[in-house]
Amino acid sequence: MIYLISFSIYSLLILIAGKGGLKKTETVEDFFVGGKSMKLMPSIFTFTATWFSVASMVGFTGAVYYSGYEVLLMSVVGWFFGAGLLVIIVDPLRKYDLITIPEYFHKRYGSRKLQVFGGLTVIFCYIMYIIIQITGFGIVVSKLLDINYTMSIFMVYLFIIYTTYGGFFSVVKTDTLNIIITILGVIITAYLTISRFDSISQINIMASSMDFGDSKNILEFNASISVIVTTSIAWGLGLAVNPQYLTRISSTNSSLTAKKMISYSVFILAFMYLLLALTGMGGRVLAPELNNIVPVDEIYSHLINDTIYSKLSGMILIGIAAAAISTINSQLLILSSGFMIDIIPAIYKKPIRQDRVLNYSRLVIVVAATVSLALSFTPPSSLLTYGSIIWSIFSITFFIPIYGGSIWKKANKYGAGASIVAGLVVMFYWLQKQGFFNSSYSIHPVIPSFIAALVFFILFTFIGELYENKA
Amino acid sequence: MKIKLDIENKILFPLLVLVIMPIIALGITSYYSAYQMLSERQVIHMDEMMENIKVIYEQNEGSLQGISIDEDIYEISILLGMEFSPGEGGRGHVVTDDQIISYGKTQGNEYIVLKYDKNIFSRELFYFQKNSILIAIVSMLAAAQIIIVLAFNISKPIKKLTKTCKEIEEGRYITFEKSHRNDELGLLANSFNKMMNTINTKTEKIEYLRDINEKIIEDAPIALFLIDGSNQMYKHNKIGEDFMSLDLVEKKTSRSLEEFIKTVDENDVYVFEDSDGNDLYLDMARTVIPNFGTIVSIYDITKRKEMESKMDHMNKLSSLGNIAASLAHEIRNPLSGIRAGMQVLHKRYGGDESSEEIYDTLIGEVDRLNYLINDILNYSKPGKPMKLKCNYKEVLESSFDLYKDSMASMNVKLEIDDNAEMVMGYCDPNQLKQIFINIVTNALNAMDKDEKKLKVSFSNSKGTDGNKYIKIVFTDNGRGIKKEDMDKIFDPFFTSYKKGVGLGLSVVSKLVSENNGKIAIKSIHGKGTDVKLRFEVTEDE
């Protein structure tokens, strides 16, 4: 009953917020990057909301429950390292006045082919990533509302189409609402967990005494240092070139706003991850039996529905919904821009009227959401591992050309192209060797792929230069 | 939060009510029907239970032992008749808001009462209908989203049109984007666009005409005042502004210019006085413009009036000159006779010193009269100049011969500054001599200082017409001419000397002109005068 009432209230709030965002959109630039006019506060809200996904909330807490604090090193530290790289790229990126990130390949390297490739990468990765988000949402909501999984993922489908329809302004408006609800959800979860202990120290002392098979001690490294470091770097590199963050750099009204947006958001996120880590640790003590009976992604829902259930649990439910919706709508919008701005102009050479671009973009959003919904009926085994593979594709394909092109004047399209191909080949070889969804590796596949991409980038930049001089 | 009832919300809210209310009504009806059905079933079930309980109770001789019921759900009790009075009949049931009560009367006049809390099946009902409620919520959500998007899409072009109209009203925006819609709104937008284009074209024309009219009014050579229907000054042009700044007062009525303009009804010339006491003659004309007011035009004819006055004066002088010439002609012959007679009498009766002086004075006076007559004749009817090749310098020197004695007696220092190489030209030597004599006479008469100086300089120059000229400048250090007299010095009979007749410079001006020369005079009162003459010269042969 509580969940249904909370869900209804949330639906009403989203309807109101989404309606407000519909009105401002006039141009394609408005639709995809809010007319590049975003001020600091909305930018922080949308950046944080996009970052903090259902995978963060549910997957991260579950991972901490199982593996202890080393998860912070493997994921959060890497993400924040990526945020540091984002601050560095603000000025070079804004110089190119981008609507989509693959546009960088065209504007920096003069290559339409690379732009189209970038667009395709964005579409593929985001479809996959949206599936993760929908699945995460479906698992939690079906558990909490005690309804069918299919029905719960259909609910998120309705929300994401509605909140993305109005474009970037709509996404920002609903993100503002979503992040507030998400933060409240995280705080309430942490409060309900921590309040059952005398102190935070008590949580740590009690949690460290729990014997969880592989995860013996929450304060010790269960995984090898190489795994922790390379996984962390892989997350960081992926985050530093993830279009959902780079687009938000483009959408701000100035470089300073973009830098402040990243910096302030990191503080908010650090606070939220800390609370979730404590929730995971508390859950480990309060419900150790979950270790053997539920998968990692369902730990969170079990905790809030059984272990720490209260009248406030409804707020936590909509916090999860908000985290999922705020990430998915941003990704859907970028996916649509990848198709309409990066791919279509290369195929259909004639200029398309602005109002038609907007309508087609909305159509792409509906189609992509429907495809993702259809693919979500069979959910992947583990959200975080799956997410890591997708992010790896971004780190391999986008990182070297974007950061390399920004700091090295000589960089050319030959180097950029070769780095993408080499990186992908090495990564797929590595993944195939270890098993695609096998999370037990000694070195994250991104590391050798990244090195190969870097070598080929430098090598082919020189070869390309020689070739052009000869021509 | 105040909800703005714009077109979007006017479409949105009724549609939301129309779509959501039936869903809610359906949900409530469905829930209520299920509730009623469950309630009725429960009553029947409890009545059956009561029948069984009563039988067992009677068999157990008034004991509830052996009766098996779910105590979490039902509450059973035995009540005396005074404690429980359900009404007629030995058995039955009562349904209240929160309970279903089934009862049966025992043989011992007691009541067996079985109670059931309705909240129990309310919760069960909610659990069973959870999916239906969720579907209803999701349906409402989907319907609301579709309606919001629909209302937005319908109202967007209307809002855009309204916004554009508002901008046009504020004068910020005067073009429309072409609409690509094929529906009525598209047609409306495109019709509006065409209408705006027509308005723009006409507005441009009107603005052009307005600008032209404003320019004509502003740049008109006369003062224009526009008076509106309420007799208020609406506008005036720059010349009008100049008039207003003079603080003019009409001399007859003593009214200010602004007041006078508002009331003037007759086109005429009116005399105004400015703040310095100068008279201004203003020709005023009033034109009535229907549906607006009047235009009053003012043309300053003060200068014309002065010219007319001057012409009158000149005409009078001309007549006077003619009379003087006739008189001079008539006087000259007898005067020659008088002079000849004087000379004869001098020879015959002169001899002693006093007689000599008398005769010399008489003859001198006759000569002076003769000069005067010559001047009058030269001014009124100068002889046609004989154009002979002459040397300007020699003519000047011969003129100075006549003044040698008088200049010596006056102690005048003569300085000749000769820079001219070309001194030959065509002129009438006698007239030229007359010119020089008159200029030198004036210079000598003006000398009132102890140190008297007269400088004559010659130089050559080339004119803009390509001809070569000799420039002769007489510079004296006499008393000079007053500034206010400067424009009258060439007038005949104008003189600043008590003894003068005022013909000297008039004759000079006339003779210079007859000999194709030019004259210019500059003077500083109290310091001296420069007389500049210019004549064309030719190469020496």
Side-chain angles (χ1 to χ4, degrees):
Chain A
M1 190 74 169
I2 288 168
Y3 292 136
L4 266 182
I5 292 167
S6 309
F7 180 75
S8 303
I9 293 168
Y10 175 68
S11 302
L12 189 67
L13 292 173
I14 281 287
L15 283 177
I16 295 165
K19 183 177 176 287
L22 284 172
K23 294 174 184 172
K24 288 183 183 174
T25 302
E26 296 286 337
T27 63
V28 173
E29 196 176 81
D30 287 345
F31 190 77
F32 290 122
V33 282
K36 295 174 183 166
S37 62
M38 302 313 295
K39 291 177 182 170
L40 183 60
M41 284 313 287
S43 295
I44 292 172
F45 286 136
T46 187
F47 187 88
T48 316
T50 304
W51 177 309
F52 200 81
S53 63
V54 72
S56 290
M57 200 164 175
V58 174
F60 175 78
T61 314
V64 171
Y65 175 95
Y66 268 110
S67 308
Y69 286 122
E70 70 176 9
V71 177
L72 281 169
L73 291 176
M74 286 173 81
S75 52
V76 179
V77 170
W79 292 333
F80 287 177
F81 159 66
L85 292 172
L86 282 177
V87 175
I88 294 168
I89 203 71
V90 166
D91 290 320
L93 198 74
R94 287 183 60 85
K95 196 172 73 182
Y96 291 100
D97 195 28
L98 305 172
I99 291 179
T100 72
I101 302 312
E103 259 191 313
Y104 180 88
F105 294 118
H106 178 54
K107 290 189 173 175
R108 168 64 179 85
Y109 295 112
S111 171
R112 276 268 181 219
K113 283 177 188 169
L114 281 176
Q115 188 185 359
V116 171
F117 170 80
L120 288 169
T121 308
V122 165
I123 291 169
F124 171 75
C125 289
Y126 278 151
I127 288 275
M128 292 297 124
Y129 207 76
I130 290 166
I131 294 168
I132 299 172
Q133 299 292 325
I134 293 177
T135 306
F137 177 87
I139 290 168
V140 178
V141 171
S142 63
K143 168 85 183 151
L144 296 182
L145 290 180
D146 193 19
I147 55 166
N148 185 278
Y149 169 78
T150 310
M151 192 169 173
S152 62
I153 60 172
F154 185 72
M155 277 158 55
V156 77
Y157 174 77
L158 280 181
F159 280 118
I160 56 173
I161 290 181
Y162 175 71
T163 56
T164 322
Y165 185 86
F168 198 85
F169 289 120
S170 212
V171 168
V172 170
K173 280 237 172 192
T174 51
D175 276 1
T176 305
L177 173 70
N178 282 329
I179 193 62
I180 292 167
I181 292 171
T182 307
I183 292 170
L184 285 175
V186 170
I187 291 171
I188 290 167
T189 315
Y191 168 73
L192 292 174
T193 309
I194 297 165
S195 63
R196 286 161 197 261
F197 296 91
D198 293 336
S199 66
I200 291 169
S201 312
Q202 193 195 13
I203 297 176
N204 290 326
I205 293 163
M206 290 175 78
S208 59
S209 65
M210 299 277 168
D211 187 359
F212 270 23
D214 292 343
S215 170
K216 291 192 177 67
N217 193 325
I218 57 156
L219 299 171
E220 288 176 9
F221 291 149
N222 300 304
S224 69
I225 295 292
S226 67
V227 171
I228 292 170
V229 171
T230 58
T231 307
S232 187
I233 291 172
W235 278 117
L237 295 177
L239 189 137
V241 282
N242 196 320
Q244 70 194 40
Y245 308 122
L246 297 181
T247 303
R248 270 151 184 79
I249 290 174
S250 287
S251 70
T252 50
N253 60 7
S254 71
S255 291
L256 185 66
T257 306
K259 287 172 189 169
K260 282 183 177 175
M261 169 190 77
I262 299 165
S263 312
Y264 296 156
S265 299
V266 163
F267 279 106
I268 298 170
L269 289 162
F271 171 69
M272 290 168 82
Y273 284 124
L274 185 70
L275 293 181
L276 287 180
L278 289 171
T279 305
M281 282 294 105
R284 190 178 165 111
V285 177
L286 294 171
E289 71 284 356
L290 296 176
N291 174 38
N292 299 319
I293 55 167
V294 289
V296 68
D297 300 327
E298 292 181 28
I299 296 281
Y300 192 82
S301 49
H302 274 278
L303 282 175
I304 61 168
N305 203 32
D306 302 324
T307 317
I308 56 167
Y309 182 81
S310 84
K311 285 180 182 173
L312 294 169
S313 294
M315 194 70 203
I316 303 170
L317 166 78
I318 60 170
I320 295 167
I325 291 159
S326 62
T327 307
I328 300 172
N329 58 14
S330 304
Q331 290 171 343
L332 264 182
L333 194 64
I334 293 164
L335 188 153
S336 172
S337 72
F339 188 74
M340 288 309 299
I341 308 280
D342 300 322
I343 297 173
I344 290 297
I347 301 165
Y348 187 78
K349 305 280 182 189
K350 292 176 192 168
I352 308 171
R353 255 183 15 228
Q354 195 152 256
D355 57 328
R356 283 195 177 159
V357 175
L358 290 178
N359 287 338
Y360 295 152
S361 301
R362 287 174 177 135
L363 190 65
V364 172
I365 287 165
V366 175
V367 172
T370 311
V371 169
S372 306
L373 177 76
L375 293 171
S376 302
F377 288 129
T378 316
S381 57
S382 173
L383 297 184
L384 272 179
T385 313
Y386 203 18
S388 173
I389 293 168
I390 292 159
W391 279 41
S392 302
I393 296 173
F394 278 129
S395 22
I396 298 310
T397 51
F398 282 15
F399 192 90
I400 300 282
I402 290 177
Y403 282 76
S406 299
I407 57 172
W408 193 25
K409 278 188 181 176
K410 264 192 176 182
N412 56 35
K413 61 181 177 182
Y414 304 104
S419 82
I420 291 169
V421 174
L424 284 175
V425 168
V426 173
M427 192 182 82
F428 281 105
Y429 169 74
W430 208 275
L431 283 172
Q432 188 264 334
K433 215 173 100 178
Q434 72 170 35
F436 265 86
F437 302 118
N438 179 13
S439 58
S440 55
Y441 47 79
S442 56
I443 292 174
H444 197 284
V446 160
I447 306 303
S449 319
F450 182 80
I451 293 165
L454 181 63
V455 170
F456 274 72
F457 179 68
I458 297 166
L459 195 66
F460 274 80
T461 295
F462 285 117
I463 293 170
E465 196 182 7
L466 283 173
Y467 169 76
E468 278 190 344
N469 289 341
K470 209 174 176 184
Chain B
M1 187 178 69
K2 196 182 172 186
I3 296 170
K4 194 180 158 193
L5 264 185
D6 56 6
I7 185 81
E8 186 181 353
N9 287 337
K10 281 180 180 169
I11 297 169
L12 177 68
F13 291 133
L15 276 176
L16 276 179
V17 171
L18 274 177
V19 174
I20 291 171
M21 285 308 283
I23 297 174
I24 294 172
L26 194 69
I28 292 170
T29 312
S30 159
Y31 188 84
Y32 184 73
S33 304
Y35 183 87
Q36 286 297 107
M37 198 176 73
L38 273 178
S39 179
E40 282 165 16
R41 275 188 192 173
Q42 186 66 29
V43 168
I44 294 164
H45 177 63
M46 283 172 71
D47 284 348
E48 285 170 3
M49 278 175 75
M50 179 53 64
E51 196 63 39
N52 293 332
I53 290 167
K54 203 175 148 190
V55 171
I56 296 168
Y57 183 79
E58 296 292 352
Q59 282 172 358
N60 286 348
E61 294 174 349
S63 169
L64 288 172
Q65 279 182 351
I67 296 168
S68 168
I69 56 162
D70 189 345
E71 288 179 357
D72 290 341
I73 299 172
Y74 298 104
E75 185 190 326
I76 191 163
S77 54
I78 305 293
L79 299 173
L80 296 173
M82 62 181 71
E83 292 172 326
F84 185 73
S85 51
E88 296 296 319
R91 50 175 288 208
H93 56 261
V94 178
V95 180
T96 64
D97 285 343
D98 22 284
Q99 280 184 328
I100 299 171
I101 302 165
S102 183
Y103 62 90
K105 199 173 182 181
T106 61
Q107 289 169 354
N109 279 337
E110 293 165 327
Y111 283 97
I112 303 170
V113 179
L114 185 64
K115 286 182 183 172
Y116 176 81
D117 189 351
K118 273 184 166 179
N119 283 329
I120 294 170
F121 73 73
S122 291
R123 280 197 291 272
E124 282 178 2
L125 185 65
F126 176 77
Y127 182 77
F128 290 129
Q129 291 216 327
K130 189 169 66 184
N131 280 340
S132 307
I133 294 168
L134 209 59
I135 288 170
I137 292 172
V138 170
S139 306
M140 282 193 286
L141 183 65
Q145 289 178 357
I146 291 167
I147 290 167
I148 287 170
V149 170
L150 200 71
F152 169 71
N153 279 336
I154 293 171
S155 62
K156 192 183 174 186
I158 300 170
K159 282 186 173 179
K160 201 172 175 184
L161 199 68
T162 315
K163 191 181 162 209
T164 311
C165 290
K166 193 83 187 155
E167 284 172 340
I168 291 167
E169 184 192 313
E170 289 166 5
R172 278 190 286 140
Y173 183 87
I174 47 163
T175 53
F176 256 100
E177 263 180 54
K178 191 177 181 297
S179 174
H180 298 288
R181 296 173 71 105
N182 294 321
D183 54 13
E184 286 81 356
L185 286 171
L187 288 173
L188 180 66
N190 287 335
S191 298
F192 212 92
N193 200 10
K194 282 179 190 164
M195 196 170 79
M196 278 311 301
N197 284 339
T198 312
I199 290 171
N200 284 346
T201 312
K202 291 195 173 168
T203 307
E204 276 171 21
K205 279 184 186 169
I206 290 167
E207 282 178 353
Y208 175 74
L209 284 173
R210 187 195 63 195
D211 290 347
I212 290 279
N213 284 339
E214 278 185 358
K215 208 166 167 52
I216 289 170
I217 290 172
E218 198 58 34
D219 297 345
I222 56 173
L224 291 171
F225 296 88
L226 277 70
I227 315 289
D228 64 17
S230 56
N231 210 27
Q232 294 300 311
M233 184 73 74
Y234 173 72
K235 197 174 183 174
H236 50 67
N237 65 358
K238 195 171 175 300
I239 296 177
E241 176 74 38
D242 293 343
F243 274 121
M244 296 294 271
S245 67
L246 292 174
D247 295 331
L248 298 177
V249 177
E250 207 272 334
K251 283 186 101 169
K252 275 187 193 167
T253 58
S254 299
R255 276 188 295 173
S256 70
L257 178 66
E258 189 171 346
E259 286 172 30
F260 196 80
I261 286 166
K262 288 176 185 173
T263 53
V264 65
D265 51 2
E266 198 176 335
N267 298 349
D268 204 349
V269 175
Y270 297 92
V271 185
F272 285 80
E273 192 177 65
D274 66 12
S275 51
D276 295 334
N278 299 317
D279 285 351
L280 268 84
Y281 294 84
L282 303 183
D283 187 354
M284 288 196 181
R286 183 170 178 271
T287 311
V288 176
I289 300 170
N291 302 324
F292 173 71
T294 50
I295 291 182
V296 176
S297 64
I298 300 178
Y299 186 46
D300 183 2
I301 58 164
T302 308
K303 280 196 175 165
R304 201 177 80 195
K305 278 278 178 192
E306 282 175 359
M307 286 292 287
E308 282 173 4
S309 166
K310 213 166 188 176
M311 284 297 289
D312 282 351
H313 180 61
M314 291 299 284
N315 286 338
K316 281 178 192 166
L317 287 176
S318 179
S319 306
L320 196 65
N322 286 338
I323 293 165
S326 304
L327 277 171
H329 189 72
E330 291 300 321
I331 291 167
R332 191 158 68 171
N333 289 339
L335 211 59
S336 300
I338 291 167
R339 192 178 194 281
M342 283 293 175
Q343 282 174 327
V344 170
L345 287 171
H346 181 215
K347 279 183 183 172
R348 195 175 289 173
Y349 301 110
D352 59 84
E353 201 175 308
S354 61
S355 299
E356 281 285 321
E357 196 177 328
I358 291 166
Y359 281 119
D360 284 346
T361 306
L362 285 172
I363 290 166
E365 287 300 311
V366 169
D367 284 345
R368 203 174 69 81
L369 280 172
N370 223 3
Y371 283 132
L372 179 63
I373 285 161
N374 275 342
D375 273 352
I376 291 169
L377 288 174
N378 278 334
Y379 173 73
S380 57
K381 285 178 184 171
K384 211 172 181 183
M386 292 179 294
K387 291 285 174 82
L388 301 172
K389 192 159 192 179
C390 62
N391 185 320
Y392 289 99
K393 208 155 55 172
E394 282 177 5
V395 175
L396 181 77
E397 280 168 0
S398 69
S399 305
F400 270 115
D401 287 345
L402 295 172
Y403 286 96
K404 259 182 191 169
D405 294 339
S406 54
M407 282 172 73
S409 64
M410 286 173 72
N411 204 15
V412 177
K413 189 180 171 189
L414 179 66
E415 188 185 333
I416 307 283
D417 185 11
D418 184 6
N419 295 313
E421 290 175 2
M422 295 168 69
V423 292
M424 299 300 289
Y426 287 93
C427 65
D428 185 328
N430 288 327
Q431 288 187 351
L432 196 65
K433 199 171 180 179
Q434 184 67 53
I435 290 166
F436 294 150
I437 286 168
N438 284 6
I439 290 170
V440 172
T441 305
N442 277 349
L444 294 178
N445 286 338
M447 287 179 180
D448 57 352
K449 296 185 178 73
D450 294 339
E451 193 183 354
K452 300 176 176 69
K453 282 183 188 172
L454 178 63
K455 181 181 173 184
V456 184
S457 56
F458 297 90
S459 61
N460 289 122
S461 64
K462 195 172 180 181
T464 50
D465 53 3
N467 296 328
K468 287 175 180 167
Y469 295 92
I470 184 166
K471 200 159 81 178
I472 307 162
V473 183
F474 296 84
T475 306
D476 68 59
N477 67 340
R479 70 173 73 88
I481 305 163
K482 287 178 185 166
K483 200 176 174 184
E484 60 267 26
D485 293 339
M486 280 302 289
D487 53 347
K488 292 181 256 179
I489 53 175
F490 293 115
D491 286 356
F493 304 111
F494 173 77
T495 181
S496 57
Y497 304 119
K498 285 179 183 169
K499 289 182 180 176
V501 180
L503 283 170
L505 282 176
S506 310
V507 170
V508 167
S509 170
K510 206 150 192 171
L511 294 181
V512 167
S513 177
E514 290 288 338
N515 286 276
N516 299 327
K518 281 193 174 172
I519 181 166
I521 297 179
K522 273 197 331 192
S523 181
I524 299 171
H525 186 59
K527 285 196 170 178
T529 305
D530 285 359
V531 181
K532 291 177 187 172
L533 298 171
R534 195 186 80 161
F535 297 100
E536 195 177 334
V537 288
T538 54
E539 298 283 341
D540 290 347
E541 288 175 6

